[in-house]
Amino acid sequence: MVTGAAGFVGSHVAEAFADAGHEVLAVDALARSPAPELARRTWEQVTARPGVTGLEVDLAVDGLDAVAAADVVVHLAGRPGVRSSWGAGRAAAERDNVLATGRLLAACMERSVLRGVGDRPPTGKRSGPRGVRGRTPTRKRPARPLVIVASSSSVYGSAGHRPHREDDPLNPASPYAVSKVEVERLAGLAARDGLRTVLLRYFSVYGPRQRPDMAFHRFVEAALDGRPLPVFGDGRRSRSFTHVEDVVAATLAAAGADLPPGIAVNVGHPEAVAVRSAIGMLTGVLGVRPEIRREAPVAGDAARTWADPGRAERLLGWTARTGLAEGLADQIAWHRALRAREVRV
Ligand SMILES: NC(=O)c1ccc[n+]([C@@H]2O[C@H](COP(=O)([O-])OP(=O)(O)OC[C@H]3O[C@@H](n4cnc5c(N)ncnc54)[C@H](O)[C@@H]3O)[C@@H](O)[C@H]2O)c1
């Protein structure tokens, strides 16, 4: 089960599980997306994929029967975004991050502790890797699913002279970051009750289908329109920009790993790059020299996010492989492909 499957990260994760031969229940509310039109288009692509079943449901109010069929729940549904969380997005962050995650975890905890391999899921719907259904039960396995929960580098606040490690103190600086800390706490409580939860702290993800409110998306669209690039602050902020294919690889690795319940793992590129350097690369790939339009810095936006990838390397055998220039070229190709089909996002 992949929640948030109409979204940026969730759509890639759902497709990757399906491509790896798993049966995927893709879940999303669509109308809860900050970009509902893009979510609808993405949803149509994802649910057309062989092996993917779509379920449109709002996890803050419904849809929890669906967890009965899942061996692994990858919970990517939620309301992202630091900037919007100071305004109208704040209630959405509380509802779609904290409330929805709490309900989902409770539903997973309600499942009994063991079931036999081959027991049919209550809905009788497809579940888990192909080939498991219908076998004679020979051994017991956990009936409760492994639950992988999306967290964020924003729980750390800003990095100092070294990258953030998972056991660093948390220092959230925006309502969004506070909601993610709360999500982490809920997952920790569920882990204490024996639910296998894993927290993946994603760092500034980019690539095809990136959300329209995110920096590279805004920069590429502005550059392709011939408009000045809207930059919050002076461009000195730096980020462990991480390509979505690397994020997918880490997420799939977490689904296959035997990790201690409640553990947090950084999913971030080990190099922090300044926004203005990234703009230099991006405009280099585009072959343009656009103007920059400076906008007021966003409260709570970390001066630097920087991932220490050591735990991910040790426990998941994962490291980010995509360099920024290569990854940006990939994202730009996606924007161009949409425009060629006269789709604006
Ligand atoms: N993109 C990043 O750089 C990044 C970084 C750190 C953490 N994250 C986290 O990763 C997750 C995915 O982020 P994204 O960028 O793909 O966001 P996204 O907005 O593209 O996708 C989230 C999806 O969740 C769905 N959703 C929201 N509330 C829902 C609800 N109540 N019930 C069902 N579906 C609901 C939305 O419709 C949307 O399609 C989020 O939890 C986000 O906080 C993302």
Side-chain angles (χ1 to χ4, degrees), residues 203-206 240-251 266-272 307-313 316-324 326:
F203 283 66
S204 302
V205 190
Y206 71 101
S240 272
F241 293 111
T242 311
H243 191 269
V244 68
E245 284 306 323
D246 286 327
V247 168
V248 166
T251 308
N266 287 342
V267 176
H269 197 285
E271 206 181 326
D308 183 323
R311 184 176 283 180
E313 280 168 11
L316 304 179
W318 174 86
T319 190
R321 294 188 187 286
T322 313
L324 191 52
E326 178 195 346

PDB file of all heavy atoms in Angstrom, residues 203-206 240-251 266-272 307-313 316-324 326:
ATOM      1  N   PHE A 203      15.302  14.556   2.187  1.00  0.00           N
ATOM      2  CA  PHE A 203      15.918  15.881   2.035  1.00  0.00           C
ATOM      3  C   PHE A 203      15.590  16.413   0.636  1.00  0.00           C
ATOM      4  O   PHE A 203      15.891  15.744  -0.363  1.00  0.00           O
ATOM      5  CB  PHE A 203      17.443  15.781   2.186  1.00  0.00           C
ATOM      6  CG  PHE A 203      17.918  15.629   3.608  1.00  0.00           C
ATOM      7  CD1 PHE A 203      17.639  14.500   4.360  1.00  0.00           C
ATOM      8  CD2 PHE A 203      18.673  16.637   4.195  1.00  0.00           C
ATOM      9  CE1 PHE A 203      18.084  14.363   5.666  1.00  0.00           C
ATOM     10  CE2 PHE A 203      19.131  16.524   5.505  1.00  0.00           C
ATOM     11  CZ  PHE A 203      18.826  15.381   6.241  1.00  0.00           C
ATOM     12  N   SER A 204      15.009  17.613   0.551  1.00  0.00           N
ATOM     13  CA  SER A 204      14.724  18.333  -0.719  1.00  0.00           C
ATOM     14  C   SER A 204      14.762  17.449  -1.967  1.00  0.00           C
ATOM     15  O   SER A 204      15.767  17.408  -2.688  1.00  0.00           O
ATOM     16  CB  SER A 204      15.726  19.477  -0.904  1.00  0.00           C
ATOM     17  OG  SER A 204      15.655  20.338   0.200  1.00  0.00           O
ATOM     18  N   VAL A 205      13.653  16.818  -2.235  1.00  0.00           N
ATOM     19  CA  VAL A 205      13.576  15.891  -3.368  1.00  0.00           C
ATOM     20  C   VAL A 205      13.282  16.689  -4.644  1.00  0.00           C
ATOM     21  O   VAL A 205      12.520  17.658  -4.624  1.00  0.00           O
ATOM     22  CB  VAL A 205      12.466  14.841  -3.125  1.00  0.00           C
ATOM     23  CG1 VAL A 205      12.558  13.736  -4.176  1.00  0.00           C
ATOM     24  CG2 VAL A 205      12.555  14.256  -1.710  1.00  0.00           C
ATOM     25  N   TYR A 206      13.879  16.279  -5.747  1.00  0.00           N
ATOM     26  CA  TYR A 206      13.601  16.935  -7.023  1.00  0.00           C
ATOM     27  C   TYR A 206      13.617  15.874  -8.118  1.00  0.00           C
ATOM     28  O   TYR A 206      14.032  14.736  -7.899  1.00  0.00           O
ATOM     29  CB  TYR A 206      14.639  18.047  -7.316  1.00  0.00           C
ATOM     30  CG  TYR A 206      16.008  17.503  -7.657  1.00  0.00           C
ATOM     31  CD1 TYR A 206      16.442  17.427  -8.975  1.00  0.00           C
ATOM     32  CD2 TYR A 206      16.839  17.011  -6.660  1.00  0.00           C
ATOM     33  CE1 TYR A 206      17.686  16.905  -9.294  1.00  0.00           C
ATOM     34  CE2 TYR A 206      18.086  16.476  -6.980  1.00  0.00           C
ATOM     35  CZ  TYR A 206      18.500  16.419  -8.296  1.00  0.00           C
ATOM     36  OH  TYR A 206      19.719  15.876  -8.613  1.00  0.00           O
ATOM     37  N   SER A 240      20.700  19.556   0.736  1.00  0.00           N
ATOM     38  CA  SER A 240      21.090  18.227   0.253  1.00  0.00           C
ATOM     39  C   SER A 240      20.043  17.811  -0.794  1.00  0.00           C
ATOM     40  O   SER A 240      19.158  17.017  -0.511  1.00  0.00           O
ATOM     41  CB  SER A 240      21.082  17.215   1.406  1.00  0.00           C
ATOM     42  OG  SER A 240      22.305  17.176   2.073  1.00  0.00           O
ATOM     43  N   PHE A 241      20.131  18.394  -1.986  1.00  0.00           N
ATOM     44  CA  PHE A 241      19.149  18.079  -3.029  1.00  0.00           C
ATOM     45  C   PHE A 241      19.276  16.608  -3.422  1.00  0.00           C
ATOM     46  O   PHE A 241      20.373  16.138  -3.748  1.00  0.00           O
ATOM     47  CB  PHE A 241      19.394  18.952  -4.270  1.00  0.00           C
ATOM     48  CG  PHE A 241      19.128  20.411  -4.051  1.00  0.00           C
ATOM     49  CD1 PHE A 241      20.175  21.335  -4.049  1.00  0.00           C
ATOM     50  CD2 PHE A 241      17.832  20.871  -3.856  1.00  0.00           C
ATOM     51  CE1 PHE A 241      19.926  22.686  -3.865  1.00  0.00           C
ATOM     52  CE2 PHE A 241      17.581  22.232  -3.666  1.00  0.00           C
ATOM     53  CZ  PHE A 241      18.637  23.136  -3.669  1.00  0.00           C
ATOM     54  N   THR A 242      18.153  15.907  -3.425  1.00  0.00           N
ATOM     55  CA  THR A 242      18.194  14.459  -3.629  1.00  0.00           C
ATOM     56  C   THR A 242      17.226  14.063  -4.735  1.00  0.00           C
ATOM     57  O   THR A 242      16.024  14.396  -4.675  1.00  0.00           O
ATOM     58  CB  THR A 242      17.818  13.735  -2.309  1.00  0.00           C
ATOM     59  OG1 THR A 242      18.597  14.308  -1.251  1.00  0.00           O
ATOM     60  CG2 THR A 242      18.090  12.254  -2.389  1.00  0.00           C
ATOM     61  N   HIS A 243      17.751  13.396  -5.746  1.00  0.00           N
ATOM     62  CA  HIS A 243      16.917  13.046  -6.901  1.00  0.00           C
ATOM     63  C   HIS A 243      15.898  11.972  -6.521  1.00  0.00           C
ATOM     64  O   HIS A 243      16.188  11.063  -5.750  1.00  0.00           O
ATOM     65  CB  HIS A 243      17.788  12.555  -8.060  1.00  0.00           C
ATOM     66  CG  HIS A 243      17.023  12.426  -9.331  1.00  0.00           C
ATOM     67  ND1 HIS A 243      16.396  11.254  -9.712  1.00  0.00           N
ATOM     68  CD2 HIS A 243      16.739  13.332 -10.303  1.00  0.00           C
ATOM     69  CE1 HIS A 243      15.781  11.452 -10.873  1.00  0.00           C
ATOM     70  NE2 HIS A 243      15.979  12.700 -11.254  1.00  0.00           N
ATOM     71  N   VAL A 244      14.706  12.090  -7.107  1.00  0.00           N
ATOM     72  CA  VAL A 244      13.602  11.217  -6.710  1.00  0.00           C
ATOM     73  C   VAL A 244      13.916   9.735  -6.965  1.00  0.00           C
ATOM     74  O   VAL A 244      13.468   8.861  -6.220  1.00  0.00           O
ATOM     75  CB  VAL A 244      12.273  11.674  -7.380  1.00  0.00           C
ATOM     76  CG1 VAL A 244      12.283  11.460  -8.889  1.00  0.00           C
ATOM     77  CG2 VAL A 244      11.081  11.007  -6.730  1.00  0.00           C
ATOM     78  N   GLU A 245      14.715   9.434  -7.989  1.00  0.00           N
ATOM     79  CA  GLU A 245      15.046   8.015  -8.224  1.00  0.00           C
ATOM     80  C   GLU A 245      15.881   7.464  -7.075  1.00  0.00           C
ATOM     81  O   GLU A 245      15.760   6.293  -6.711  1.00  0.00           O
ATOM     82  CB  GLU A 245      15.797   7.841  -9.556  1.00  0.00           C
ATOM     83  CG  GLU A 245      14.898   7.934 -10.772  1.00  0.00           C
ATOM     84  CD  GLU A 245      13.695   6.979 -10.719  1.00  0.00           C
ATOM     85  OE1 GLU A 245      13.843   5.843 -10.228  1.00  0.00           O
ATOM     86  OE2 GLU A 245      12.595   7.381 -11.127  1.00  0.00           O
ATOM     87  N   ASP A 246      16.737   8.293  -6.501  1.00  0.00           N
ATOM     88  CA  ASP A 246      17.505   7.864  -5.322  1.00  0.00           C
ATOM     89  C   ASP A 246      16.579   7.677  -4.123  1.00  0.00           C
ATOM     90  O   ASP A 246      16.742   6.743  -3.342  1.00  0.00           O
ATOM     91  CB  ASP A 246      18.593   8.895  -4.988  1.00  0.00           C
ATOM     92  CG  ASP A 246      19.761   8.841  -5.972  1.00  0.00           C
ATOM     93  OD1 ASP A 246      20.074   7.742  -6.469  1.00  0.00           O
ATOM     94  OD2 ASP A 246      20.358   9.900  -6.246  1.00  0.00           O
ATOM     95  N   VAL A 247      15.615   8.571  -3.989  1.00  0.00           N
ATOM     96  CA  VAL A 247      14.643   8.471  -2.887  1.00  0.00           C
ATOM     97  C   VAL A 247      13.833   7.177  -3.018  1.00  0.00           C
ATOM     98  O   VAL A 247      13.593   6.459  -2.038  1.00  0.00           O
ATOM     99  CB  VAL A 247      13.732   9.719  -2.891  1.00  0.00           C
ATOM    100  CG1 VAL A 247      12.530   9.536  -1.975  1.00  0.00           C
ATOM    101  CG2 VAL A 247      14.533  10.948  -2.490  1.00  0.00           C
ATOM    102  N   VAL A 248      13.451   6.857  -4.243  1.00  0.00           N
ATOM    103  CA  VAL A 248      12.714   5.608  -4.495  1.00  0.00           C
ATOM    104  C   VAL A 248      13.583   4.410  -4.096  1.00  0.00           C
ATOM    105  O   VAL A 248      13.112   3.490  -3.415  1.00  0.00           O
ATOM    106  CB  VAL A 248      12.319   5.519  -5.987  1.00  0.00           C
ATOM    107  CG1 VAL A 248      11.868   4.110  -6.349  1.00  0.00           C
ATOM    108  CG2 VAL A 248      11.229   6.530  -6.298  1.00  0.00           C
ATOM    109  N   ALA A 249      14.841   4.441  -4.495  1.00  0.00           N
ATOM    110  CA  ALA A 249      15.733   3.300  -4.191  1.00  0.00           C
ATOM    111  C   ALA A 249      15.868   3.112  -2.686  1.00  0.00           C
ATOM    112  O   ALA A 249      15.819   1.982  -2.176  1.00  0.00           O
ATOM    113  CB  ALA A 249      17.101   3.522  -4.837  1.00  0.00           C
ATOM    114  N   ALA A 250      15.991   4.212  -1.946  1.00  0.00           N
ATOM    115  CA  ALA A 250      16.105   4.111  -0.483  1.00  0.00           C
ATOM    116  C   ALA A 250      14.815   3.566   0.120  1.00  0.00           C
ATOM    117  O   ALA A 250      14.836   2.749   1.050  1.00  0.00           O
ATOM    118  CB  ALA A 250      16.416   5.491   0.108  1.00  0.00           C
ATOM    119  N   THR A 251      13.688   3.998  -0.416  1.00  0.00           N
ATOM    120  CA  THR A 251      12.389   3.583   0.127  1.00  0.00           C
ATOM    121  C   THR A 251      12.159   2.089  -0.124  1.00  0.00           C
ATOM    122  O   THR A 251      11.707   1.357   0.765  1.00  0.00           O
ATOM    123  CB  THR A 251      11.276   4.447  -0.496  1.00  0.00           C
ATOM    124  OG1 THR A 251      11.628   5.829  -0.337  1.00  0.00           O
ATOM    125  CG2 THR A 251       9.937   4.193   0.166  1.00  0.00           C
ATOM    126  N   ASN A 266      18.164   9.024   7.499  1.00  0.00           N
ATOM    127  CA  ASN A 266      18.282  10.136   6.546  1.00  0.00           C
ATOM    128  C   ASN A 266      18.294   9.611   5.118  1.00  0.00           C
ATOM    129  O   ASN A 266      19.050   8.677   4.807  1.00  0.00           O
ATOM    130  CB  ASN A 266      19.613  10.885   6.748  1.00  0.00           C
ATOM    131  CG  ASN A 266      19.635  11.729   8.008  1.00  0.00           C
ATOM    132  OD1 ASN A 266      18.586  12.033   8.576  1.00  0.00           O
ATOM    133  ND2 ASN A 266      20.829  12.119   8.434  1.00  0.00           N
ATOM    134  N   VAL A 267      17.483  10.242   4.275  1.00  0.00           N
ATOM    135  CA  VAL A 267      17.532   9.925   2.844  1.00  0.00           C
ATOM    136  C   VAL A 267      17.893  11.228   2.143  1.00  0.00           C
ATOM    137  O   VAL A 267      17.026  12.031   1.790  1.00  0.00           O
ATOM    138  CB  VAL A 267      16.178   9.355   2.365  1.00  0.00           C
ATOM    139  CG1 VAL A 267      16.196   9.127   0.861  1.00  0.00           C
ATOM    140  CG2 VAL A 267      15.872   8.051   3.103  1.00  0.00           C
ATOM    141  N   GLY A 268      19.181  11.453   2.049  1.00  0.00           N
ATOM    142  CA  GLY A 268      19.630  12.725   1.496  1.00  0.00           C
ATOM    143  C   GLY A 268      20.998  12.592   0.835  1.00  0.00           C
ATOM    144  O   GLY A 268      21.812  11.751   1.227  1.00  0.00           O
ATOM    145  N   HIS A 269      21.210  13.430  -0.148  1.00  0.00           N
ATOM    146  CA  HIS A 269      22.517  13.480  -0.824  1.00  0.00           C
ATOM    147  C   HIS A 269      23.547  14.029   0.165  1.00  0.00           C
ATOM    148  O   HIS A 269      23.245  14.981   0.896  1.00  0.00           O
ATOM    149  CB  HIS A 269      22.413  14.376  -2.059  1.00  0.00           C
ATOM    150  CG  HIS A 269      23.532  14.166  -3.021  1.00  0.00           C
ATOM    151  ND1 HIS A 269      24.795  14.648  -2.797  1.00  0.00           N
ATOM    152  CD2 HIS A 269      23.587  13.497  -4.197  1.00  0.00           C
ATOM    153  CE1 HIS A 269      25.580  14.308  -3.808  1.00  0.00           C
ATOM    154  NE2 HIS A 269      24.869  13.599  -4.671  1.00  0.00           N
ATOM    155  N   PRO A 270      24.750  13.461   0.197  1.00  0.00           N
ATOM    156  CA  PRO A 270      25.716  13.893   1.204  1.00  0.00           C
ATOM    157  C   PRO A 270      26.293  15.294   0.985  1.00  0.00           C
ATOM    158  O   PRO A 270      26.944  15.839   1.868  1.00  0.00           O
ATOM    159  CB  PRO A 270      26.835  12.842   1.099  1.00  0.00           C
ATOM    160  CG  PRO A 270      26.652  12.181  -0.210  1.00  0.00           C
ATOM    161  CD  PRO A 270      25.207  12.291  -0.565  1.00  0.00           C
ATOM    162  N   GLU A 271      26.022  15.880  -0.176  1.00  0.00           N
ATOM    163  CA  GLU A 271      26.585  17.202  -0.470  1.00  0.00           C
ATOM    164  C   GLU A 271      25.490  18.267  -0.366  1.00  0.00           C
ATOM    165  O   GLU A 271      24.406  18.079  -0.936  1.00  0.00           O
ATOM    166  CB  GLU A 271      27.102  17.180  -1.907  1.00  0.00           C
ATOM    167  CG  GLU A 271      28.203  18.146  -2.197  1.00  0.00           C
ATOM    168  CD  GLU A 271      28.590  18.034  -3.665  1.00  0.00           C
ATOM    169  OE1 GLU A 271      28.525  16.923  -4.219  1.00  0.00           O
ATOM    170  OE2 GLU A 271      28.923  19.064  -4.240  1.00  0.00           O
ATOM    171  N   ALA A 272      25.763  19.334   0.365  1.00  0.00           N
ATOM    172  CA  ALA A 272      24.797  20.448   0.416  1.00  0.00           C
ATOM    173  C   ALA A 272      25.218  21.502  -0.619  1.00  0.00           C
ATOM    174  O   ALA A 272      26.366  21.956  -0.610  1.00  0.00           O
ATOM    175  CB  ALA A 272      24.765  21.056   1.812  1.00  0.00           C
ATOM    176  N   ALA A 307      22.647  16.210   4.883  1.00  0.00           N
ATOM    177  CA  ALA A 307      22.399  14.840   5.366  1.00  0.00           C
ATOM    178  C   ALA A 307      23.704  14.095   5.622  1.00  0.00           C
ATOM    179  O   ALA A 307      24.580  14.071   4.764  1.00  0.00           O
ATOM    180  CB  ALA A 307      21.594  14.072   4.329  1.00  0.00           C
ATOM    181  N   ASP A 308      23.803  13.497   6.791  1.00  0.00           N
ATOM    182  CA  ASP A 308      24.841  12.489   7.009  1.00  0.00           C
ATOM    183  C   ASP A 308      24.240  11.155   6.559  1.00  0.00           C
ATOM    184  O   ASP A 308      23.255  10.692   7.145  1.00  0.00           O
ATOM    185  CB  ASP A 308      25.211  12.426   8.496  1.00  0.00           C
ATOM    186  CG  ASP A 308      26.333  11.437   8.769  1.00  0.00           C
ATOM    187  OD1 ASP A 308      26.362  10.375   8.098  1.00  0.00           O
ATOM    188  OD2 ASP A 308      27.181  11.712   9.628  1.00  0.00           O
ATOM    189  N   PRO A 309      24.777  10.558   5.516  1.00  0.00           N
ATOM    190  CA  PRO A 309      24.148   9.359   4.956  1.00  0.00           C
ATOM    191  C   PRO A 309      24.639   8.050   5.572  1.00  0.00           C
ATOM    192  O   PRO A 309      24.301   6.968   5.083  1.00  0.00           O
ATOM    193  CB  PRO A 309      24.571   9.427   3.483  1.00  0.00           C
ATOM    194  CG  PRO A 309      25.942  10.044   3.538  1.00  0.00           C
ATOM    195  CD  PRO A 309      25.974  10.956   4.749  1.00  0.00           C
ATOM    196  N   GLY A 310      25.439   8.151   6.670  1.00  0.00           N
ATOM    197  CA  GLY A 310      26.106   6.953   7.215  1.00  0.00           C
ATOM    198  C   GLY A 310      25.133   5.837   7.581  1.00  0.00           C
ATOM    199  O   GLY A 310      25.358   4.668   7.255  1.00  0.00           O
ATOM    200  N   ARG A 311      24.032   6.194   8.258  1.00  0.00           N
ATOM    201  CA  ARG A 311      23.103   5.136   8.699  1.00  0.00           C
ATOM    202  C   ARG A 311      22.449   4.458   7.492  1.00  0.00           C
ATOM    203  O   ARG A 311      22.284   3.236   7.472  1.00  0.00           O
ATOM    204  CB  ARG A 311      22.045   5.733   9.636  1.00  0.00           C
ATOM    205  CG  ARG A 311      21.118   4.685  10.202  1.00  0.00           C
ATOM    206  CD  ARG A 311      20.133   5.261  11.197  1.00  0.00           C
ATOM    207  NE  ARG A 311      20.712   5.519  12.498  1.00  0.00           N
ATOM    208  CZ  ARG A 311      20.029   6.023  13.539  1.00  0.00           C
ATOM    209  NH1 ARG A 311      18.740   6.309  13.406  1.00  0.00           N
ATOM    210  NH2 ARG A 311      20.616   6.232  14.697  1.00  0.00           N
ATOM    211  N   ALA A 312      22.067   5.247   6.514  1.00  0.00           N
ATOM    212  CA  ALA A 312      21.443   4.659   5.311  1.00  0.00           C
ATOM    213  C   ALA A 312      22.421   3.725   4.607  1.00  0.00           C
ATOM    214  O   ALA A 312      22.034   2.659   4.108  1.00  0.00           O
ATOM    215  CB  ALA A 312      20.980   5.768   4.364  1.00  0.00           C
ATOM    216  N   GLU A 313      23.689   4.116   4.585  1.00  0.00           N
ATOM    217  CA  GLU A 313      24.697   3.248   3.945  1.00  0.00           C
ATOM    218  C   GLU A 313      24.818   1.933   4.706  1.00  0.00           C
ATOM    219  O   GLU A 313      24.836   0.856   4.111  1.00  0.00           O
ATOM    220  CB  GLU A 313      26.055   3.968   3.914  1.00  0.00           C
ATOM    221  CG  GLU A 313      26.168   4.971   2.778  1.00  0.00           C
ATOM    222  CD  GLU A 313      27.378   5.898   2.917  1.00  0.00           C
ATOM    223  OE1 GLU A 313      28.246   5.644   3.783  1.00  0.00           O
ATOM    224  OE2 GLU A 313      27.420   6.873   2.169  1.00  0.00           O
ATOM    225  N   LEU A 316      20.856   0.206   4.948  1.00  0.00           N
ATOM    226  CA  LEU A 316      20.108  -0.034   3.705  1.00  0.00           C
ATOM    227  C   LEU A 316      21.030  -0.322   2.525  1.00  0.00           C
ATOM    228  O   LEU A 316      20.551  -0.646   1.435  1.00  0.00           O
ATOM    229  CB  LEU A 316      19.243   1.202   3.350  1.00  0.00           C
ATOM    230  CG  LEU A 316      18.246   1.682   4.403  1.00  0.00           C
ATOM    231  CD1 LEU A 316      17.509   2.919   3.906  1.00  0.00           C
ATOM    232  CD2 LEU A 316      17.247   0.568   4.718  1.00  0.00           C
ATOM    233  N   GLY A 317      22.323  -0.163   2.734  1.00  0.00           N
ATOM    234  CA  GLY A 317      23.245  -0.312   1.610  1.00  0.00           C
ATOM    235  C   GLY A 317      22.956   0.741   0.544  1.00  0.00           C
ATOM    236  O   GLY A 317      23.174   0.522  -0.646  1.00  0.00           O
ATOM    237  N   TRP A 318      22.439   1.893   0.982  1.00  0.00           N
ATOM    238  CA  TRP A 318      21.982   2.910   0.036  1.00  0.00           C
ATOM    239  C   TRP A 318      22.839   4.165   0.110  1.00  0.00           C
ATOM    240  O   TRP A 318      23.242   4.595   1.200  1.00  0.00           O
ATOM    241  CB  TRP A 318      20.539   3.316   0.364  1.00  0.00           C
ATOM    242  CG  TRP A 318      20.037   4.460  -0.487  1.00  0.00           C
ATOM    243  CD1 TRP A 318      19.469   4.359  -1.720  1.00  0.00           C
ATOM    244  CD2 TRP A 318      20.080   5.857  -0.170  1.00  0.00           C
ATOM    245  NE1 TRP A 318      19.150   5.617  -2.190  1.00  0.00           N
ATOM    246  CE2 TRP A 318      19.513   6.550  -1.258  1.00  0.00           C
ATOM    247  CE3 TRP A 318      20.545   6.591   0.924  1.00  0.00           C
ATOM    248  CZ2 TRP A 318      19.397   7.941  -1.289  1.00  0.00           C
ATOM    249  CZ3 TRP A 318      20.434   7.981   0.886  1.00  0.00           C
ATOM    250  CH2 TRP A 318      19.860   8.631  -0.212  1.00  0.00           C
ATOM    251  N   THR A 319      23.094   4.716  -1.028  1.00  0.00           N
ATOM    252  CA  THR A 319      23.710   6.033  -1.081  1.00  0.00           C
ATOM    253  C   THR A 319      23.151   6.761  -2.311  1.00  0.00           C
ATOM    254  O   THR A 319      22.779   6.111  -3.291  1.00  0.00           O
ATOM    255  CB  THR A 319      25.246   5.889  -1.121  1.00  0.00           C
ATOM    256  OG1 THR A 319      25.832   7.151  -0.948  1.00  0.00           O
ATOM    257  CG2 THR A 319      25.742   5.276  -2.396  1.00  0.00           C
ATOM    258  N   ALA A 320      23.040   8.084  -2.222  1.00  0.00           N
ATOM    259  CA  ALA A 320      22.502   8.830  -3.375  1.00  0.00           C
ATOM    260  C   ALA A 320      23.514   8.776  -4.521  1.00  0.00           C
ATOM    261  O   ALA A 320      24.704   8.995  -4.308  1.00  0.00           O
ATOM    262  CB  ALA A 320      22.226  10.276  -2.969  1.00  0.00           C
ATOM    263  N   ARG A 321      23.039   8.479  -5.714  1.00  0.00           N
ATOM    264  CA  ARG A 321      23.955   8.296  -6.845  1.00  0.00           C
ATOM    265  C   ARG A 321      23.854   9.409  -7.872  1.00  0.00           C
ATOM    266  O   ARG A 321      24.759   9.601  -8.670  1.00  0.00           O
ATOM    267  CB  ARG A 321      23.624   6.981  -7.578  1.00  0.00           C
ATOM    268  CG  ARG A 321      23.885   5.775  -6.728  1.00  0.00           C
ATOM    269  CD  ARG A 321      23.747   4.468  -7.509  1.00  0.00           C
ATOM    270  NE  ARG A 321      23.845   3.343  -6.586  1.00  0.00           N
ATOM    271  CZ  ARG A 321      24.966   2.934  -6.031  1.00  0.00           C
ATOM    272  NH1 ARG A 321      26.112   3.525  -6.317  1.00  0.00           N
ATOM    273  NH2 ARG A 321      24.975   1.921  -5.189  1.00  0.00           N
ATOM    274  N   THR A 322      22.728  10.138  -7.875  1.00  0.00           N
ATOM    275  CA  THR A 322      22.508  11.096  -8.964  1.00  0.00           C
ATOM    276  C   THR A 322      23.116  12.445  -8.622  1.00  0.00           C
ATOM    277  O   THR A 322      22.772  13.058  -7.602  1.00  0.00           O
ATOM    278  CB  THR A 322      20.986  11.266  -9.208  1.00  0.00           C
ATOM    279  OG1 THR A 322      20.404   9.975  -9.250  1.00  0.00           O
ATOM    280  CG2 THR A 322      20.716  12.006 -10.505  1.00  0.00           C
ATOM    281  N   GLY A 323      24.019  12.896  -9.474  1.00  0.00           N
ATOM    282  CA  GLY A 323      24.604  14.226  -9.301  1.00  0.00           C
ATOM    283  C   GLY A 323      23.580  15.291  -9.711  1.00  0.00           C
ATOM    284  O   GLY A 323      22.638  15.019 -10.476  1.00  0.00           O
ATOM    285  N   LEU A 324      23.787  16.516  -9.188  1.00  0.00           N
ATOM    286  CA  LEU A 324      22.769  17.554  -9.384  1.00  0.00           C
ATOM    287  C   LEU A 324      22.605  17.946 -10.858  1.00  0.00           C
ATOM    288  O   LEU A 324      21.473  18.101 -11.334  1.00  0.00           O
ATOM    289  CB  LEU A 324      23.113  18.773  -8.518  1.00  0.00           C
ATOM    290  CG  LEU A 324      22.033  19.834  -8.407  1.00  0.00           C
ATOM    291  CD1 LEU A 324      20.684  19.257  -7.976  1.00  0.00           C
ATOM    292  CD2 LEU A 324      22.453  20.923  -7.416  1.00  0.00           C
ATOM    293  N   GLU A 326      23.084  16.213 -13.561  1.00  0.00           N
ATOM    294  CA  GLU A 326      22.381  15.124 -14.264  1.00  0.00           C
ATOM    295  C   GLU A 326      20.895  15.099 -13.860  1.00  0.00           C
ATOM    296  O   GLU A 326      19.990  14.976 -14.693  1.00  0.00           O
ATOM    297  CB  GLU A 326      23.072  13.806 -13.860  1.00  0.00           C
ATOM    298  CG  GLU A 326      22.485  12.553 -14.431  1.00  0.00           C
ATOM    299  CD  GLU A 326      22.995  11.299 -13.687  1.00  0.00           C
ATOM    300  OE1 GLU A 326      23.984  11.392 -12.912  1.00  0.00           O
ATOM    301  OE2 GLU A 326      22.394  10.248 -13.872  1.00  0.00           O
TER     302      GLU A 326
END
